[in-house]
Amino acid sequence: MNFAVGLKPLLAEARSMESLEKQLICPICLEMFSKPVVILPCQHNLCRKCANDVFQASNPLWQSRGSSAVPSGGRFRCPSCRHEVVLDRHGVYGLQRNLLVENIIDIYKQESARPLHNKAEQHLMCEEHEDERINIYCLRCEVPTCSLCKVFGAHKDCEVAPLPAVYQRQKVRGPGSPWWAGGTRAAALTPAPLPSQSELSDGIAMLVAGNDRIQAIITQMEEICHTIEENSRRQKQHVGLRFDALYGILEERKKELLQSIAAEQEAKLQRVRGLIRQYGDHLEASSKLVESAIQAMEEPQMAVYLQHSKELLKKITDMSKASMSSRPEPGYENMDHFSINVDYVAEMLRTIEFQTEPLGEDEGDGPGEGSEAATEEDRLDSLEAPEAAEDVGPRQKPASSPHGQH
């Protein structure tokens, strides 16, 4: 049975009552207006006692006339809109009472005092017969229904009982007692027993305990998630430091190899540039000698020509005999012997994996431990040493021999 038709007016009424209650709250004491309620000129309401308290606070030098219970006039501001309220000689007691608000408060209190289930019963209407209230209980289907459903509807072949009787017996019976215990006109029926209030309470307690266990499991799993995140962060830091150490080893080795290439480059350049200077000096001297010889041949005086020709001829002969055979051997400019093979190192780096056995407590405490980084460095050095000896060492020896050739 669907009770949506009956519940909608009930929910609407509950919202209306809540909205009404907000309108009946005094802005001073924040409680429902207490009699008598006074209405200010600005149409806002206050409890008379609250209005008198505001008046007393705004008029500390106020003196009564004749009797302390009758104020002698004054003024104060409305706490809702700050409108200035001017009182006559009667003071707060001269303000008009709001009888309408007082009557509404009385009705609200009477309505609020009524049991909730009574209100629900008044508004629960049958879905099939919208004008019929739900007032009986089908014992076979175990659902509330209306009289027309019993006479003409889906429950005409079912046994029913008055709804209040079923409700009262369910509330008062103990565990295992039939709902008809106590004797009613439905006692002659033999329905299936309904759940008692204690059984429902036990079920609720069981659900609450189960919820507590589930919440504890959720909390535990949340802690596991936090621990996973923390451990992952720490291990990411460790892996990053290990690779930073490898980067450092590669950078250092790269620097050493580049320095070897630069050293041989400088040595070869110095030798070749020395030969260039030597040949340049020889070329300059030869050019000057040729110029001197040409000038001598153009000398018109025979005595002067014969005087210098013998010495000039000797210089030409000596210049021609000068040895200029010193030069770099073929392939001297080649630097291919500095090539390296890093394929095996790259393959080794690609095979880096996590250890199958967890690190010991001392090894895994801090990412700054140098044992693992030192192990990786030793492995790289051991694998790199043969290659360095094979590719660089033997091929550098011929490079040193030309230094002495001129």
Side-chain angles (χ1 to χ4, degrees):
M1 181 66 65
N2 190 342
F3 305 110
V5 177
L7 288 177
K8 287 181 179 178
L10 179 61
L11 295 175
E13 179 184 356
R15 287 193 292 267
S16 299
M17 295 293 288
E18 182 179 359
S19 177
L20 177 61
E21 181 179 0
K22 293 180 180 179
Q23 300 298 323
L24 300 179
I25 298 298
C26 175
I28 300 299
C29 61
L30 300 180
E31 296 180 359
M32 192 168 294
F33 290 118
S34 60
K35 293 183 179 180
V37 180
V38 295
I39 182 170
L40 304 179
C42 57
Q43 302 304 313
H44 290 120
N45 298 286
L46 292 176
C47 305
R48 175 173 290 175
K49 180 179 180 304
C50 295
N52 192 48
D53 292 340
V54 174
F55 173 74
Q56 294 282 355
S58 302
N59 300 270
L61 301 179
W62 169 79
Q63 297 292 334
S64 62
R65 179 183 299 173
S67 173
S68 60
V70 181
S72 59
R75 62 185 63 198
F76 65 95
R77 293 189 177 276
C78 172
S80 298
C81 65
R82 307 304 298 168
H83 178 78
E84 187 177 43
V85 180
V86 180
L87 303 178
D88 58 14
R89 62 186 182 85
H90 298 290
V92 173
Y93 292 89
L95 293 173
Q96 184 179 359
R97 290 178 59 180
N98 195 335
L99 299 179
L100 177 60
V101 173
E102 294 181 10
N103 293 334
I104 292 175
I105 292 175
D106 291 338
I107 296 173
Y108 174 81
K109 290 181 178 179
Q110 293 174 4
E111 188 69 19
S112 299
R114 297 175 61 183
L116 181 61
H117 66 272
N118 289 340
K119 298 179 186 178
E121 289 172 4
Q122 291 177 0
H123 292 85
L124 284 179
M125 310 298 289
C126 179
E127 184 181 15
E128 299 294 333
H129 311 91
E130 297 182 356
D131 296 333
E132 288 294 322
R133 297 180 181 177
I134 295 175
N135 56 0
I136 59 176
Y137 189 87
C138 178
L139 301 175
R140 177 186 297 176
C141 303
E142 298 184 355
V143 292
T145 185
C146 72
S147 301
L148 290 183
C149 288
K150 168 60 181 171
V151 178
F152 305 107
H155 303 283
K156 62 182 180 180
D157 297 329
C158 301
E159 295 183 354
V160 298
L163 192 64
V166 177
Y167 174 77
Q168 292 297 331
R169 292 299 177 266
Q170 181 178 350
K171 294 283 286 185
V172 301
R173 77 181 180 90
S177 301
W179 65 268
W180 59 85
T184 64
R185 71 181 183 89
L189 304 176
T190 57
L194 299 175
S196 66
Q197 185 179 16
S198 60
E199 290 173 339
L200 291 176
S201 299
D202 293 341
I204 293 172
M206 182 172 61
L207 287 178
V208 171
N211 291 342
D212 292 339
R213 289 193 298 271
I214 293 174
Q215 183 60 49
I217 294 174
I218 292 174
T219 302
Q220 183 180 9
M221 288 190 292
E222 288 176 349
E223 293 177 355
I224 292 174
C225 290
H226 177 72
T227 304
I228 291 173
E229 292 175 351
E230 182 63 24
N231 291 340
S232 299
R233 183 197 61 79
R234 185 170 60 251
Q235 291 307 120
K236 287 177 182 179
Q237 184 180 10
H238 290 180
V239 171
L241 290 174
R242 296 298 183 264
F243 272 85
D244 289 342
L246 293 178
Y247 301 154
I249 296 171
L250 291 175
E251 287 294 334
E252 183 178 357
R253 188 58 182 159
K254 171 186 172 183
K255 182 179 179 182
E256 293 174 355
L257 295 178
L258 292 178
Q259 287 176 349
S260 299
I261 297 175
E264 182 161 334
Q265 172 190 346
E266 184 63 24
K268 287 186 175 183
L269 289 176
Q270 286 182 1
R271 177 170 178 256
V272 174
R273 285 169 181 167
L275 292 175
I276 291 174
R277 287 193 299 270
Q278 180 181 351
Y279 278 88
D281 294 342
H282 180 81
L283 179 60
E284 183 180 1
S286 178
S287 298
K288 290 181 179 180
L289 184 60
V290 169
E291 184 178 355
S292 299
I294 293 173
Q295 291 177 357
M297 291 177 65
E298 294 176 354
E299 179 62 43
Q301 298 182 11
M302 292 183 292
V304 175
Y305 172 78
L306 292 175
Q307 182 180 0
H308 295 92
S309 62
K310 185 178 181 179
E311 180 181 0
L312 187 60
L313 184 61
K314 183 177 181 303
K315 289 181 179 181
I316 293 174
T317 303
D318 293 340
M319 181 67 68
S320 300
K321 292 180 179 180
S323 176
M324 297 300 296
S325 60
S326 237
R327 64 187 61 186
E329 64 277 6
Y332 183 76
E333 69 279 6
N334 194 352
M335 303 288 284
D336 293 343
H337 55 279
F338 285 107
S339 62
I340 61 174
N341 180 14
V342 296
D343 293 340
Y344 73 101
V345 179
E347 187 62 29
M348 181 194 67
L349 293 176
R350 292 190 187 96
T351 59
I352 293 178
E353 281 293 344
F354 297 108
Q355 293 182 344
T356 55
E357 297 181 358
L359 294 175
E361 184 177 357
D362 295 337
E363 296 179 357
D365 284 343
E369 295 291 333
S371 58
E372 186 174 344
T375 303
E376 293 291 340
E377 185 175 358
D378 293 340
R379 289 174 59 191
L380 284 176
D381 290 342
S382 63
L383 291 172
E384 194 171 359
E387 182 68 22
E390 179 181 354
D391 291 343
V392 179
R395 297 186 183 180
Q396 282 182 330
K397 291 180 181 180
S400 61
S401 57
H403 291 289
Q405 296 179 4
H406 298 284

